[in-house]
Amino acid sequence: MAPLKISEQDVVNAICLYVADKKQVKLEEVEVELMFDDDYGFSAESFVHGRKQILVKQNMIEALRMWLDQVLGRDPFSGIELVLDDDEGIIAIIR
């Protein structure tokens, strides 16, 4: 099967779904900002009711696995690679 490219917006959507599930809040109550740092790599900040939580790369992968299973109906144990693209931002490649 050909690799699937997940857009930056869908990466954000996956993390929102993940955080809403973990925090038991409505999806609309979650805000997410993706980040990349040369020293620390990929991460995301989530905001729920004014409280900030940092998600590390492994949390982002877990969120994408949940999204693959629940939204796309695809194998959640597929290989997932986060990529910083100059034009598209932070995207995921599913293999």
Side-chain angles (χ1 to χ4, degrees), residues 2-71:
L4 173 67
K5 182 168 44 170
I6 306 296
S7 71
E8 183 172 71
Q9 183 59 57
D10 282 339
V11 172
V12 168
N13 293 345
I15 295 170
C16 285
L17 183 68
Y18 174 81
V19 171
D21 182 67
K22 294 290 184 195
K23 300 285 186 187
Q24 295 294 298
V25 297
K26 294 178 185 174
L27 194 55
E28 299 81 29
E29 298 175 58
V30 180
E31 294 179 39
V32 168
E33 181 178 334
L34 302 178
M35 300 179 294
F36 179 81
D37 181 270
D38 287 332
D39 294 327
Y40 300 109
F42 295 97
S43 62
E45 285 183 339
S46 70
F47 300 90
V48 177
H49 302 292
R51 302 188 102 183
K52 178 172 78 169
Q53 177 183 5
I54 303 293
L55 289 90
V56 295
K57 180 180 177 180
Q58 188 57 42
N59 300 123
M60 296 170 71
I61 299 290
E62 187 176 342
L64 284 161
R65 290 194 191 289
M66 180 180 167
W67 186 77
L68 281 171
D69 184 41
Q70 293 182 4
V71 176

